[in-house]
């Protein structure tokens, strides 16, 4: 979300010594750029402002979308004392001081409300988050937490249940262009080519703070070189290769790898390539990507095309040999192959079913005929007695032999799908089951059912 205006009254020209982000920070709700899905007329957060009664909330969104700005505007709207705590730098001492300040404001002559804003609230541990609970419940202050991480995972359920969650979005290209126009209106940067503006907006990637900081850097550099206009060529020289914002370990990272996996599973090679390149462009470790591709080959392609797993391992090895950027082509080849390959999760489901069975089942003894008998004593105890060596049987299959523990029903873990190689596997398994049935039924010959 963008910012406009300054802390000083409108009649006072904002200090040019202030950072541009502060000079353009919104002073009213109407000056806010972006986040209209929560701040527009009739939208939830706008209604909260208009109600006259502040409420505790969590502002969840990526960097530079206006979380701090909204919290400050809420304090202004309700004429409340604003106390800001950084969860990165603060601790219990800061929480205690905030409580004391809130009590002083409540019990003073003016009886002022207090809003406690906790930036990066997900950085506080459970006990630190719990310290806010009694004061939120008593109404001593209104709690506003800002987080770039999913609050479902990072904020205590007790605190989360007492706060509304508002999801903020990255700014659109049009929003970011409005910020550039405002900066020019404030004479914060010289003239700039339209194509250079487009490149700046792409560089900011939805982050208003990143855009404002970049504009300030460009303005100073242009002033030093006495440039009358910022051109696209000069911009490229100053910025270097554009890199998108990317959170290598947080919510955005896992959302993107999820999109890649689901695109492969959904047999869309273009979408799969897009998400792969997004991750590589954003700085994801190609070795991590190679490991994920191996997983996709085993989980989603499986025995419908066993070559997929080999190809994924080959792609990983090629990357180790060539490194970046040459080795990344092998990852792209693998992604396309996985996307267009026939899909089966039959082995994945069978493995999970077997794990669940073993977890809840007792420890069944290994049948005597399946036990190993390396010593004379073990042979005398009938270890391995009656075992039928499949290679000596007709067709290499010991029809009617049982390989499960005694008394254990046929579990049917593996159910091949009617796709790819598993079509042939299913036919083979049906043939073997028929031979087992024939061997167990008196008077029926194997040849009656064998193909």
């Amino acid at each position: 979300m963008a910012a406009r205006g300054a802390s000083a009254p409108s009649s006072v020209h904002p200090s040019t010594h202030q950072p541009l982000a502060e000079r353009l920070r919104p002073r009213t709700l109407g000056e806010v750029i972006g986040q209209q899905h929560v701040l527009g007329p009739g939208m939830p957060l706008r209604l909260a402002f208009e109600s006259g009664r502040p409420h505790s909330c969590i502002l969840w969104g990526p960097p530079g979308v206006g979380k701090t700005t909204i919290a400050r505007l809420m304090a202004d709207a309700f004429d409340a004392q604003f106390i800001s705590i950084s969860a990165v730098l603060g601790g219990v001492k800061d929480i205690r001081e905030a409580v004391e300040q809130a009590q002083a404001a409540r019990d003073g002559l003016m009886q002022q409300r207090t809003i406690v804003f906790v930036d990066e609230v997900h950085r506080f541990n459970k006990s630190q988050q719990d310290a806010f609970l009694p004061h939120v419940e008593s109404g001593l202050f209104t709690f506003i937490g800002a987080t770039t991480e999913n609050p479902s995972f990072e904020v205590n359920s007790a605190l989360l249940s007492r706060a509304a969650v508002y999801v903020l979005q990255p700014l659109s290209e049009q929003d970011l262009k409005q910020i550039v126009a405002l900066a020019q209106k404030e004479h914060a940067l010289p003239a700039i080519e339209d194509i250079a503006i487009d490149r700046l907006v792409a560089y900011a990637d939805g982050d208003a703070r990143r855009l404002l900081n970049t504009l300030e850097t460009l303005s100073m550099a242009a002033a030093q070189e006495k440039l009358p206009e910022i051109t696209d060529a000069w911009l490229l020289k100053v910025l270097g290769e554009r890199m998108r914002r990317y959170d290598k370990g947080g919510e955005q990272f896992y959302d993107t790898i999820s999109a890649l996996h689901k695109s492969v599973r959904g047999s869309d090679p273009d979408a799969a390539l897009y998400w792969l390149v997004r991750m590589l462009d954003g700085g994801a470790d190609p070795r991590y990507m190679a490991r994920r591709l191996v997983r996709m080959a085993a989980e989603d392609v499986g025995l419908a095309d066993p070559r997929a797993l080999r190809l994924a391992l080959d792609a990983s090895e090629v990357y180790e040999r060539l490194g970046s950027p040459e080795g990344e082509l092998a990852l792209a080849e693998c992604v396309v192959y996985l996307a267009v390959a026939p899909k089966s999760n039959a082995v994945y489901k069978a493995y999970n079913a077997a794990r669940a069975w073993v977890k809840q089942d007792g420890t069944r003894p290994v049948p005597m005929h399946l036990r190993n008998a390396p010593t004379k004593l073990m042979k005398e105890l009938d270890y391995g007695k009656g075992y039928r060596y499949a290679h000596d049987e007709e067709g290499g299959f010991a029809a009617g032999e049982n390989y499960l523990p005694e008394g254990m029903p046929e579990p049917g873990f593996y159910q091949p799908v009617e796709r790819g190689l598993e079509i042939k596997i299913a036919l083979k398994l049906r043939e073997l089951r028929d031979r087992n049935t024939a061997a167990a039924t008196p008077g029926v010959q194997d040849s009656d059912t064998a193909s």
Side-chain angles (χ1 to χ4, degrees), residues 70-133:
I70 290 174
R72 288 184 180 277
L73 286 175
M74 193 174 289
D76 291 341
F78 300 116
D79 191 26
Q81 173 183 222
F82 184 80
I83 301 174
S84 180
I85 300 174
S86 170
V88 177
L89 304 174
V92 174
K93 178 177 178 292
D94 299 88
I95 300 173
R96 189 181 302 116
E97 290 177 354
V99 170
E100 292 172 356
Q101 292 179 51
Q103 289 172 335
R106 180 195 61 187
D107 300 335
L109 293 176
M110 303 299 293
Q111 294 186 337
Q112 190 179 27
R113 291 168 170 163
T114 297
I115 287 180
V116 176
F117 174 68
V118 182
D119 196 19
E120 304 290 339
V121 65
H122 59 276
R123 299 291 188 94
F124 270 157
N125 60 35
K126 183 180 186 301
S127 62
Q128 289 170 320
Q129 292 184 28
D130 283 344
F132 292 103
L133 286 175

Side-chain angles (χ1 to χ4, degrees), residues 366-396:
V366 177
M368 295 298 289
H369 70 285
L370 296 181
R371 298 187 188 188
N372 192 28
T375 68
K376 181 180 179 181
L377 175 61
M378 297 170 86
K379 290 178 182 177
E380 291 174 351
L381 293 175
D382 290 339
Y383 277 44
K385 184 178 181 180
Y387 170 66
R388 295 163 60 191
Y389 189 57
H391 293 288
D392 292 340
E393 301 278 340
E394 181 183 348

Side-chain angles (χ1 to χ4, degrees), residues 420-434:
L421 182 63
E422 285 200 324
I423 295 174
K424 293 184 177 180
I425 293 175
L427 290 172
K428 179 67 175 178
L429 288 177
R430 281 195 288 270
E431 173 198 335
L432 298 180
R433 279 196 294 268
D434 287 345

